[in-house]
Amino acid sequence: MKLPIAKGAKRALLVEGGGMKGAFAGGVLHGMNGLLNATNFDLVVGVSSGACSAAYYVTMPKPEPVKSEKALSVWYSELSGRQLISVFHPFQGKTFLDQEYLIDYIFRNKVRLESENLEKEGLPEFRIAVSNLHSHTVDYVRATATNVFDLLKAATSLPIATRGKHKLDGTIYSDAAILNPLPLQDLIEAGYKSITIVMNSPIARISEPLGFITGLLAFPWNWKLSKMMREWHHHHFNDARRIALEPPKGVQIHTIAPDDSLPVGLVTTVRNKLRETVELGVKKGEEASQFLLNLFAVNRKKLKGTTKPVKTLTSKKSLTLKKAVKKKTKPKKSGVSKKK
């Protein structure tokens, strides 16, 4: 499933994943909720844990400070300690990352995601990126009231930490990040001229190729997919950052990212570190909201096609990134779409 084609001046929001680093994105979207809620975008795309944070954001048709704060607290109250991730889970018949706890208990019940709002008029279309394990490509499945919980399970089916796959409507999916952790180029090719990206690491970060052992452990039953993951994950990660720094002519890209490495990593569950990460995100989200609100108001007065690239919303070490990207060797041709 491809992204919907943008007709006219459409705005998209792309939310990156990254395991527990998604707490930063959760903070950003909470910070945005007060001034710049989801109705300001035409399309929202979530990847991996970024889809979890985006799901709460897109189901609030108006600023909801109390609901948004409750959703935000999930990161440090419900996902800390051994509740979500634990080396003891396999001894209890669970995976290291307990998706049933996350989706069936938290999202469906304790801090209920108001999934019925996904189909309300005025709210943006919400697409969740997932890796299609049949076609070995990234699909963008539209989230609805009936499929969103299964879709979130597919999006968070991180290899090694979970079973690495989830079946939805006859198709087996996995975390989109194994092939494309930040599908910025796909949004551009779909015609979006104004794209806001929430990144969970500094924009100047460079990703190295995943190791052979990591690929083997991730997909021991599928050598082709294992190889693709090792070739494409870092390529798309780095390429998206290059594009964010140097947008194509006529495309505005607004990047919201931490200035430095976050206090948390992929599997950090220390409560105070998660809370610190959330607070960093909230601050960035509040700053970005005012900037984007003013920019969107100005753009509404302009004729279509006159937009120009603007500065990113975070400090960046662009020289380091540009040099590193130039030295990269592109991987061989595969089933994943590449930048034209």
Side-chain angles (χ1 to χ4, degrees), residues 38-56:
T39 59
N40 287 276
F41 298 95
D42 300 287
L43 173 71
V44 175
V45 178
V47 180
S48 194
S49 62
C52 295
S53 292
Y56 282 115

Side-chain angles (χ1 to χ4, degrees), residues 11 13-14 24-25 27-37 40-41 57 194-199 253-259 279-297 310-315:
R11 292 194 290 260
L13 172 66
L14 173 60
F24 177 81
V28 168
L29 296 178
H30 171 74
M32 289 171 61
N33 179 264
L35 260 182
L36 197 78
N37 69 327
N40 287 276
F41 298 95
Y57 180 69
S194 175
I195 305 170
T196 300
I197 314 171
V198 181
M199 293 184 182
I253 297 178
H254 325 294
T255 304
I256 309 171
D259 297 322
E279 289 170 354
L280 287 170
V282 171
K283 184 178 178 181
K284 282 288 185 182
E286 290 173 345
E287 292 172 356
S289 296
Q290 189 60 64
F291 174 88
L292 290 170
L293 198 64
N294 293 337
L295 182 69
F296 292 167
V310 298
K311 65 180 181 179
T312 56
L313 305 179
T314 178
S315 62

Side-chain angles (χ1 to χ4, degrees), residues 249-292:
K249 185 178 180 180
V251 177
Q252 288 185 334
I253 297 178
H254 325 294
T255 304
I256 309 171
D259 297 322
D260 301 299
S261 296
L262 293 172
V264 298
L266 286 172
V267 295
T268 303
T269 57
V270 180
R271 185 185 180 106
N272 64 336
K273 290 187 176 182
L274 286 168
R275 184 151 199 163
E276 183 184 351
T277 301
V278 159
E279 289 170 354
L280 287 170
V282 171
K283 184 178 178 181
K284 282 288 185 182
E286 290 173 345
E287 292 172 356
S289 296
Q290 189 60 64
F291 174 88
L292 290 170

